[in-house]
Structures are given as structure tokens and as C-alpha cells.
Amino acid sequence: MRIAICPGSFDPVTKGHLDIVTRAAALFDQVIVLVVHNPAKQPSFTVDERINMIRKVTGSLQNIEVDTYGGLLADYAKLKGACAIVKGLRAVSDFEYEFQMALANKKFYPEAETVFVPTSLENMYLSSSIVKQVAMFGGDISGFVPSVLLQEIEQRLSPRTY
């Protein structure tokens, strides 16, 4: 079985995340969407909330598992016997950082290849940070996040009261 890990903070889940996960699911037998702990970030949603959001938007995909891990990604990939780590790329600026991480992961777990998936054209500008900023100023984020998550994300991030 060809297992891939699709790691990220997913804070919150965007249409861009869903696009990459869906495309990875078409390429591999199993995809583990991994909510990683990034000590450099202050999340808006708890790990459990992010896991539940991912499960809501990937429920129709039979080969998706959602998990969380607090250690090195390479260690998790080895633990799961993954053959690939899938990373979405929006722009050239993403590549430099992701390439460095890919080399580090390869050093620690040579059995896994990093697969870079370019984002779809409509999601090139999209990030969780953009979603947070637009929502914080009361802007419309309906084009940025899956509709099933819109109300939940707006309630947390938008200054409007519901």
C-alpha cells in the first residue's frame, strides 16, 4: 500500500488545502492528513477542532485518515511506513522553504519522497493567514473556505456577533 502524508497546520482549513488533499488522494492508496504542531504559530483553532474540520470536508474520500503529531515529520512518516510527503506549493517563495524541509526529511527518512503539488490557479493567493486577516476585518471568506465550514470559521474569526 502506497501511503502519503499531507502535513500542515490547517488553521483553518481552506479550499486550497482541500484541493491538495483531494488530488493527493487520487495519487496514493492512503493519505494521512496530518495536523502538525508548529510552536512558532499561535493557532486560532484547537488541534481537535482542526481535525474535525478536515474530517467534515474529506468525509466523501474513502482513503483519507486524519491524525496529529507533535514530533518530527520524518519520524511520523517512518512510523506509518509512508512512501511520500505531499506538500502544496502556491508560489516560488514557498519552494525555497519547502525544498529545505524536503532535504531534511530525506536525511532523516530516506524511504519517503517529497512530492510537490502546485496549487490550482484559483488558489494561488490563498492561505490560512489570508482567511484569518479577511475574516478579522469582517470580509467575505465564503470563496476561501469550504461552505460546510464557513459559519464555524466566521464565528471564531469574524468580529461580527452571531
Side-chain angles (χ1 to χ4, degrees), residues 125-141:
Y125 63 90
L126 186 55
S127 69
S128 293
S129 297
I130 294 287
V131 170
K132 289 178 189 180
Q133 190 170 32
V134 171
M136 183 176 68
F137 289 107
D140 180 10
I141 60 168

Side-chain angles (χ1 to χ4, degrees), residues 25-41:
L27 296 172
F28 296 95
D29 299 319
Q30 181 183 13
V31 175
I32 302 171
V33 181
L34 187 66
V35 178
V36 296
H37 303 272
N38 185 339
K41 294 183 179 182

